[in-house]
């Protein structure tokens, strides 16, 4: 045996073992630092956090609860206004409605018209950033995507609708690329039907994940929101829809490629319009004159005398329906257009403020489900769940909706320069 090799043997072995040891330490960190290449974002419109947190509701969502158990989860304080279209734009941009430009569900001054076009969103979106990175990106019934520069688009769009029923034909006409509706229908014959529903969103997602191998997919399911408008917040009928959605989510997850990061989000909470609060009438009854407004779910005024009169109504329970004064610093932060006010007030749960100047000061409501309320009111929260590659099990407590986009952007290795809220990725990633 060569003496030099014999002498070097133990040292070489020791050096090799040390290299393996340090590689074992470093490799997981290197892998965790690599951006995720597959991202699936599912939004359930109107998915109030209480559907998951209140055992009395008895909502059976095993797939959703498994994502919660295995990944990171939080309740979410939304944006103002806390409606579907502004919130969905904030979820994908990380900025508030006053910044991204989708300031309501309907376009101001254009009854029945929504912010359908992607050009309505004035700041960069996650799908913009993912596409620029070279990822095959798809948007399925996500608000504000007509004309989006993505590989596949099934936009939420209509010309006319009856109540909450959305015809399939206008969506098919706006979907891209050409022929995509037929391709999905070949795999799922019931897909090309008269009306779009949550099963349409699920079928499109299943097709894109299995046949087109899409990298980043945005999926919007809207039936739970529509049902609560018709039958009440947290209604048993909405719970049935959520259970059905959960079953479809399980099918979608089964088709997702190994290593896919899954985000399940919602846009706002829900309450019932059990009572209507009319601050103008309350002030008339108190003999107080002055301007008072209702906007973004708040009662506000720029009149100091009116502000003092409203403060006297706080805490009177059902007599006034006014629960608390909201700090103007919070109001200005979430809705700078309301900086004209000197004071703002929020109502009790299920007490909905109105600009009406006739009727009872506090009277019966419609008993139907509503949103668009001030986002920090107690119990009015949406959902954020993140599971999959590189995510450990953690309860995040309460987060801001504007943190969702920067978190997902960091996960897939892209930048959203306009988003200033802190990313949660360092807190949830292994």
């Amino acid at each position: 045996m060569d003496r030099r090799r014999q002498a070097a043997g133990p040292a070489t072995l020791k050096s090799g073992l040390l290299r393996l040891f340090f590689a074992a330490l470093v490799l997981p960190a290197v892998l965790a630092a690599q951006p995720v290449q597959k991202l699936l974002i599912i939004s359930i419109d109107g998915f109030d956090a209480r559907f998951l947190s209140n055992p009395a509701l008895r909502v059976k969502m095993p797939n959703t609860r498994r994502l919660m158990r295995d990944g990171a989860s939080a309740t979410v304080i939304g944006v103002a206004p806390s409606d579907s279209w502004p919130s969905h734009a904030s979820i994908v941009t990380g900025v508030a409605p006053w910044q991204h430009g989708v300031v309501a569900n309907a376009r101001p001054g254009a009854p029945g018209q929504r912010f359908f076009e992607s050009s309505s969103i004035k700041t960069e979106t996650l799908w913009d950033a993912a596409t620029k990175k070279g990822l095959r990106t798809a948007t399925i019934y996500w608000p504000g995507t007509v004309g989006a520069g993505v590989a596949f688009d099934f936009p939420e769009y209509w010309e006319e609708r009856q109540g909450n029923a959305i015809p399939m034909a206008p969506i098919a006409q706006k979907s891209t690329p050409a022929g995509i509706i037929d391709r999905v229908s070949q795999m799922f014959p019931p897909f090309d039907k008269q009306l779009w529903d949550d099963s349409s969103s699920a079928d499109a997602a299943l097709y894109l994940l299995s046949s087109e191998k899409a990298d980043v997919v945005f999926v919007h399911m809207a039936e739970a929101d529509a049902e609560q408008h018709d039958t009440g917040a947290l209604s048993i009928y909405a719970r049935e829809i959520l259970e059905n959605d959960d079953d479809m989510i399980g099918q979608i997850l089964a088709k997702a490629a190994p290593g896919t990061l899954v985000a399940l989000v919602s846009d706002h909470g829900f309450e019932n319009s059990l009572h209507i609060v009319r601050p103008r009438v309350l002030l008339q009854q108190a003999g107080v004159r002055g301007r008072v407004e209702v906007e973004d779910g708040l009662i506000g005024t720029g009149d100091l005398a009116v502000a003092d009169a409203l403060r006297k109504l706080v805490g009177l329970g059902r007599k006034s329906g006014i629960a608390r004064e909201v700090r103007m610093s919070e109001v200005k932060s979430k809705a700078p257009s309301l900086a004209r006010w000197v004071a703002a007030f929020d109502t009790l749960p299920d007490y909905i403020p109105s600009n009406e100047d006739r009727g009872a000061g506090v009277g019966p409501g419609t008993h139907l489900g509503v949103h668009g309320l001030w986002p920090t009111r107690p119990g009015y929260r949406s959902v954020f769940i993140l599971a999959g590659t590189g995510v450990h099990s953690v309860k995040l407590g309460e987060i801001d909706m504007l943190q969702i986009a920067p978190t997902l952007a960091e996960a897939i290795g892209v930048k959203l320069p306009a988003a200033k809220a802190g990313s949660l990725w360092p807190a949830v990633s292994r």
Side-chain angles (χ1 to χ4, degrees):
M1 181 181 290
D2 188 315
R3 290 181 180 272
R4 287 174 298 175
R5 291 183 64 187
Q6 186 180 27
T12 302
L13 179 61
K14 183 177 180 180
S15 176
L17 289 173
L18 285 172
R19 283 198 298 272
L20 288 173
F21 174 74
F22 284 114
L25 290 177
V26 172
L27 186 58
V30 171
L31 291 175
Q34 298 300 313
V36 175
Q37 295 300 306
K38 298 283 187 179
L39 173 62
L40 172 63
I41 305 170
I42 302 173
S43 167
I44 303 180
D45 205 306
F47 188 19
D48 189 296
R50 287 170 290 190
F51 280 117
L52 293 174
S53 63
N54 187 346
L57 296 177
R58 300 180 180 178
V59 186
K60 298 176 182 178
M61 302 185 72
N63 294 298
T64 299
R65 294 186 189 279
R66 177 168 56 84
L67 292 174
M68 289 181 66
R69 183 179 66 250
D70 296 342
S73 61
T75 57
V76 181
I77 297 175
V79 294
S82 61
D83 287 317
S84 298
W85 291 64
S87 299
H88 275 92
S90 289
I91 288 170
V92 297
T93 61
V95 301
W98 64 271
Q99 294 170 291
H100 59 57
V102 182
V103 295
N105 271 353
R107 285 183 176 276
Q113 292 298 307
R114 300 296 175 99
F115 290 83
F116 291 120
E117 295 78 16
S118 63
S119 59
S120 301
I121 305 176
K122 304 304 181 185
T123 51
E124 189 171 21
T125 64
L126 276 169
W127 57 72
D128 293 329
T131 299
K132 285 196 296 187
K133 189 183 178 183
L135 298 174
R136 284 167 64 81
T137 304
T139 49
I140 302 171
Y141 205 62
W142 198 278
T145 64
V146 173
V150 296
F152 307 95
D153 181 28
F154 304 80
E156 182 171 359
Y157 177 77
W158 63 82
E159 294 167 352
E160 293 183 2
R161 69 178 191 175
Q162 295 179 348
N164 291 311
I166 308 299
M168 168 71 81
I171 297 172
Q173 292 170 5
K174 296 290 185 180
S175 295
T176 57
I180 188 64
I181 297 294
D182 293 335
R183 284 147 67 181
V184 179
S185 297
Q186 288 175 4
M187 180 175 286
F188 302 102
F191 175 71
D192 191 5
K193 51 185 179 290
Q194 185 176 2
L195 299 176
W196 185 282
D197 58 19
D198 287 354
S199 69
S200 308
S201 294
D203 286 348
L206 289 167
Y207 168 79
L208 292 174
L209 292 170
S210 59
S211 296
E212 302 291 351
K213 310 301 181 186
D215 298 312
V216 180
V217 181
F218 298 78
V219 184
H220 176 218
M221 296 179 167
E223 286 189 78
D225 177 275
E227 187 61 43
Q228 290 177 90
H229 282 302
D230 288 344
T231 61
L234 315 181
S235 73
I236 189 171
Y237 305 102
R239 285 174 251 165
E240 291 173 354
I241 287 174
L242 289 174
E243 291 175 358
N244 191 48
D245 285 348
D246 183 79
D247 182 65
M248 291 187 285
I249 287 170
Q251 297 173 43
I252 294 170
L253 295 177
K255 289 295 183 181
T260 297
L261 182 67
V262 179
L264 195 154
V265 301
S266 63
D267 47 359
H268 51 69
F270 249 98
E271 289 190 18
N272 283 311
S273 175
L274 301 184
H275 310 273
I276 300 295
V277 178
R278 300 178 178 89
R280 293 183 180 182
V281 175
L282 290 172
L283 291 173
Q284 291 170 9
Q285 293 172 346
V288 177
R289 294 184 178 182
R291 185 174 177 81
V292 63
E293 302 172 274
V294 172
E295 195 165 334
D296 292 340
L298 288 181
I299 299 166
T301 183
D303 187 312
L304 292 173
V306 171
D308 287 339
L310 290 171
R311 288 188 183 102
K312 294 177 182 178
L313 298 175
V314 172
L316 297 182
R318 297 180 180 181
K319 291 182 179 180
S320 72
I322 300 177
R324 64 185 180 121
E325 183 171 359
V326 180
R327 295 189 308 275
M328 281 305 301
S329 59
E330 177 183 300
V331 174
K332 293 175 183 178
S333 173
K334 288 189 169 291
S337 65
L338 302 182
R340 64 183 183 273
W341 291 351
V342 296
F345 302 85
D346 202 4
T347 53
L348 294 167
D350 297 325
Y351 283 68
I352 311 304
S354 169
N355 269 317
E356 297 170 357
D357 57 7
R358 294 183 181 181
V362 179
T366 64
H367 288 248
L368 300 180
V370 297
H371 49 74
L373 306 173
W374 188 248
T376 64
R377 63 194 279 126
Y380 184 70
R381 299 290 182 269
S382 56
V383 170
F384 175 68
I385 302 170
L386 189 64
T389 295
V391 178
H392 64 86
S393 177
V394 58
K395 303 298 181 187
L396 296 170
E398 197 165 79
I399 67 168
D400 192 294
M401 181 172 283
L402 302 186
Q403 294 180 275
I404 295 174
T407 299
L408 300 181
E410 184 173 0
I412 62 174
V414 300
K415 299 288 187 181
L416 293 174
K420 304 302 181 185
S423 166
L424 300 166
W425 187 244
V428 303
S429 57
R430 295 190 179 111

